[in-house]
Amino acid sequence: MGADDKVYRLLNYKNLLNRLKSIGFVKVFSDNLADTLDISPSLVRKDFREFGIRGAQKGGYTIEAVLIKINEVLGIDKKHKIIIVGAGRIGQALMHFPGFRKEGIIVSAGFDTDPEKIDGQTDIPIFHIKELTDYIKKNNIKLAILTVPENAAMGCLDMMEVGGVKGILNFTSMNLKSLKVAINNVNIGNEIENLIFTITKK
Amino acid sequence: MGADDKVYRLLNYKNLLNRLKSIGFVKVFSDNLADTLDISPSLVRKDFREFGIRGAQKGGYTIEAVLIKINEVLGIDKKHKIIIVGAGRIGQALMHFPGFRKEGIIVSAGFDTDPEKIDGQTDIPIFHIKELTDYIKKNNIKLAILTVPENAAMGCLDMMEVGGVKGILNFTSMNLKSLKVAINNVNIGNEIENLIFTITKK
DNA sequence: AAAAATATGTTATTTTAGTAACATAATAAT
DNA sequence: ATTATTATGTTACTAAAATAACATATTTTT
Ligand SMILES: NC(=O)c1ccc[n+]([C@@H]2O[C@H](COP(=O)([O-])OP(=O)(O)OC[C@H]3O[C@@H](n4cnc5c(N)ncnc54)[C@H](O)[C@@H]3O)[C@@H](O)[C@H]2O)c1
Ligand SMILES: NC(=O)c1ccc[n+]([C@@H]2O[C@H](COP(=O)([O-])OP(=O)(O)OC[C@H]3O[C@@H](n4cnc5c(N)ncnc54)[C@H](O)[C@@H]3O)[C@@H](O)[C@H]2O)c1
C-alpha cells in the first residue's frame, strides 16, 4: 500500500480542511490535523513539506493555500470525465450521486446490455455495451466505474483496455488485474467482514 | 492501518481460495497465493503460521482446512445480522445485494424518515427511523450500514450507540468517530480521486 | 528592545512490515 | 534403501513508515 497510503492521507487532509474552511477557519496547526486524523503532528509536517506546502514558523498553515496545493498534487484541480459500465442497482446509484460533481468528477455516460436500461435521451445517457470501445476513444475517456455482474467483468475490462481507459474503480468481487490499466477494487463484503473481525476479536 | 492490513490480506486469501476451490483445486502452495496477490511467499507462510494454519512440509496447504481456519479467525463462520440506516439509492442497492447472504451476512431491516419508503411487509422491512434504537435492542443488532445524507449521519450514530451497535460501515462523506463503536469508512469519492492521482502522476 | 513562548522544518530514532535465506521434514526418484 | 528434490516453518535481515526530538524562526509579551 506504500505510496497509496500517502495519497489517502492527503485526501483526508483535503476533506478535513474543506470542512474547517466551511466553518470559517482560515489557519490550522499540524496538531489540529494530527488529533482528528489520529496521526502524529510530525507526520503532517513531513507530508506537507514533501509536497512543498510551507507554513509560517509560528502561525501554522493557511488552509486555502494548503488546499490549492493538495488539489494540484492530486490532479483534482481539473475536471475528469468518468463512465459507468453496468447500469444496475449500484451503477445507477453512483450515476446520480451529487457528491461527484463538486469534486470535478463528471459522469458522462453509462453502458449496459439490457435494452430496458438503454436510453440516449436522459441527462446521463445509457448506451449499449457494444458501443463502449468506440465511445471511450471518441470522448477520450480515461476513467471508468465497473458495476457489471462478476462473469461480465473480464470482458468489459478487455473492451476498456482496447478503448484506452487508464483507471478503473471495480465494484465486482472479481479481483481484476491488468498491466495497462490501474485498477482500484472496492469490496463491500470485505469491509463488512473486516468490521465483524474488529467487533468480535478486539 | 497496521493490524487491519493483515485482516484484508486474510480476506484476500479467503476469496482466492474459494475461487480455487470452485475450480476443483484441493491443495495450494504459498507460491501460488503469493504470485496472484503480489506478495512474497514468506509472507503467506508467516500469516498462516500466525493463525495456526499448518501445511505439509512438501504438499502445500489443504484449501478446505485453510478456509475453515480463516473463517474461524475472522469470525465469519457464523451468521451476522446487519441493518441499513437510510433506504435511499445506495441503501437499497446494498439491501438487495445477493453477495452478502453467501457470506453469512443477513440484512434484517432498513430505516428511513421518508414515509414513502417505509413498508413493513416487504421481504426486508423498512421501518421509521424513530424505531431504530428499539429495534437494535430487541433484535440484538451489532452491525449497521449508514447510508443517510451527511447532515443526518451524527444523529443516526447517536441512536445506534444507544441501541448497542458495535460496528458501522459508513458510506457518508462525514468522517465519523466514536469511542463506543468501530467505524469503517467507505469513501467512493476518495477512491476515484486516488485513481486520478495514479493515472496522472505515475 | 529584550525575553519568553510557540509552532514549524528537519534530523535522528524507533517501530513495524515485508522479504530473503535456510534448515527441516516430507515426498518422489533412482 | 538411498539420494535428490521440494515446499514448509522459522529466523535473520532489509526497507520503509511513523514518531520523537530539537534547533530555528517568528510572534507575542513585558
Ligand atoms: N448492489 C450492491 O450493493 C453491490 C455491493 C457490492 C458489490 N456489488 C457488485 O457490483 C456488481 C453489480 O451489482 P448490482 O447489484 O448493481 O447488480 P445488477 O444486476 O443490479 O446490475 C448489473 C447490471 O449490469 C448489466 N450487465 C450485465 N452484463 C453486462 C455486460 N456484459 N455489459 C454491460 N452491462 C452488463 C445488467 O443488465 C445490470 O443492469 C456486481 O458484480 C456485484 O457483485 C454490488
Ligand atoms: N449514491 C451514491 O452513489 C453514493 C456514493 C457514495 C456516498 N454516498 C453517500 O451515501 C449517502 C446516501 O446517498 P444516496 O445517494 O443513497 O442518497 P439518497 O438521498 O438516495 O438516500 C438517503 C436516504 O436517507 C433518508 N434519510 C434522510 N434523513 C434521514 C434520517 N435522519 N434517518 C434515516 N433516514 C434518513 C432519505 O429519506 C433517503 O431515503 C450520502 O451520505 C452520500 O453522500 C452515496
Side-chain angles (χ1 to χ4, degrees):
Chain A
M1 303 255 138
D4 257 10
D5 265 5
K6 196 166 289 170
V7 175
Y8 284 111
R9 215 157 53 224
L10 281 189
L11 287 164
N12 289 340
Y13 296 142
K14 190 199 69 161
N15 293 335
L16 178 53
L17 290 171
N18 273 323
R19 187 152 285 137
L20 292 172
K21 183 181 155 190
S22 76
I23 305 170
F25 275 44
V26 174
K27 291 187 169 179
V28 73
F29 303 121
S30 57
D31 278 53
N32 303 141
L33 299 176
D35 286 345
T36 42
L37 296 176
D38 287 322
I39 53 177
S40 72
S42 25
L43 183 54
V44 175
R45 297 199 290 273
K46 226 178 170 188
D47 283 340
F48 282 11
R49 181 184 58 122
E50 183 172 338
F51 293 109
I53 296 165
R54 300 192 74 86
Q57 280 285 13
K58 205 175 179 190
Y61 300 88
T62 308
I63 290 177
E64 192 55 34
V66 179
L67 279 172
I68 289 169
K69 194 77 191 177
I70 289 181
N71 284 332
E72 192 190 308
V73 170
L74 292 173
I76 49 186
D77 49 345
K78 310 179 183 58
K79 295 233 180 302
H80 294 270
K81 281 180 290 186
I82 194 166
I83 55 171
I84 296 185
V85 179
R89 284 182 297 253
I90 13 155
Q92 289 199 2
L94 293 168
M95 206 169 279
H96 300 104
F97 176 46
F100 288 157
R101 221 174 183 95
K102 69 174 199 294
E103 302 290 340
I105 299 160
I106 315 287
V107 179
S108 75
F111 294 87
D112 210 294
T113 41
D114 183 357
E116 297 262 313
K117 303 225 165 96
I118 292 163
D119 184 350
Q121 304 311 114
T122 44
D123 52 339
I124 300 170
I126 299 178
F127 301 117
H128 192 275
I129 191 75
K130 70 173 190 279
E131 310 194 33
L132 180 60
T133 308
D134 260 10
Y135 184 93
I136 295 168
K137 284 181 182 165
K138 287 213 181 85
N139 296 278
N140 195 30
I141 301 294
K142 296 291 167 223
L143 290 166
I145 299 179
L146 185 60
T147 47
V148 296
E150 187 173 329
N151 58 36
M154 300 266 270
C156 292
L157 170 60
D158 285 346
M159 288 185 259
M160 289 190 270
E161 279 183 347
V162 172
V165 162
K166 291 293 165 219
I168 297 173
L169 191 61
N170 172 34
F171 278 82
T172 78
S173 50
M174 196 75 198
N175 206 306
L176 299 175
K177 282 176 97 176
S178 164
L179 294 170
K180 293 183 191 159
V181 183
I183 298 175
N184 218 332
N185 297 300
V186 175
N187 191 324
I188 297 169
N190 278 8
E191 298 300 329
I192 295 177
E193 291 177 20
N194 178 56
L195 211 46
I196 291 173
F197 175 83
T198 309
I199 68 173
T200 53
K201 300 297 145 88
K202 295 263 189 61
Chain B
M1 300 260 138
D4 257 9
D5 264 5
K6 198 167 289 172
V7 175
Y8 285 110
R9 216 157 52 223
L10 281 189
L11 287 165
N12 289 342
Y13 296 143
K14 190 199 70 161
N15 293 335
L16 178 53
L17 290 172
N18 272 323
R19 188 151 285 139
L20 292 173
K21 183 181 154 190
S22 77
I23 305 171
F25 274 46
V26 175
K27 292 189 169 180
V28 74
F29 304 119
S30 57
D31 276 54
N32 302 143
L33 300 176
D35 286 345
T36 43
L37 296 175
D38 286 322
I39 53 177
S40 71
S42 24
L43 184 55
V44 175
R45 297 198 292 272
K46 225 179 171 189
D47 283 340
F48 282 11
R49 181 184 58 124
E50 182 171 339
F51 293 108
I53 296 166
R54 303 191 72 87
Q57 280 286 9
K58 203 173 177 191
Y61 300 88
T62 308
I63 291 178
E64 192 56 35
V66 178
L67 279 171
I68 288 170
K69 193 76 192 180
I70 288 181
N71 285 332
E72 191 189 311
V73 169
L74 292 173
I76 48 184
D77 48 345
K78 308 177 185 60
K79 294 232 179 303
H80 295 271
K81 281 180 288 186
I82 194 165
I83 55 171
I84 296 184
V85 180
R89 283 181 296 252
I90 12 157
Q92 290 199 2
L94 293 168
M95 205 169 280
H96 300 104
F97 176 46
F100 287 157
R101 219 172 186 98
K102 69 175 199 292
E103 302 290 341
I105 299 160
I106 314 286
V107 179
S108 75
F111 294 87
D112 209 293
T113 41
D114 183 358
E116 295 263 312
K117 302 225 166 97
I118 292 163
D119 184 350
Q121 304 311 113
T122 44
D123 51 339
I124 300 170
I126 299 178
F127 301 117
H128 192 275
I129 191 77
K130 69 173 191 279
E131 309 194 36
L132 180 60
T133 308
D134 260 11
Y135 183 94
I136 294 168
K137 285 180 181 162
K138 287 212 182 87
N139 296 278
N140 194 33
I141 301 294
K142 297 291 166 222
L143 290 167
I145 298 178
L146 185 60
T147 47
V148 297
E150 188 174 327
N151 58 36
M154 300 266 269
C156 291
L157 171 59
D158 285 346
M159 289 185 259
M160 287 190 271
E161 279 182 347
V162 172
V165 162
K166 292 294 164 219
I168 297 173
L169 190 61
N170 173 35
F171 278 83
T172 78
S173 49
M174 196 77 197
N175 205 307
L176 299 173
K177 280 176 100 176
S178 164
L179 294 170
K180 293 182 190 159
V181 184
I183 298 175
N184 217 332
N185 298 301
V186 175
N187 192 324
I188 296 169
N190 278 8
E191 298 299 331
I192 295 176
E193 291 177 20
N194 177 57
L195 212 46
I196 291 173
F197 175 83
T198 308
I199 68 172
T200 53
K201 301 297 148 90
K202 296 260 188 63

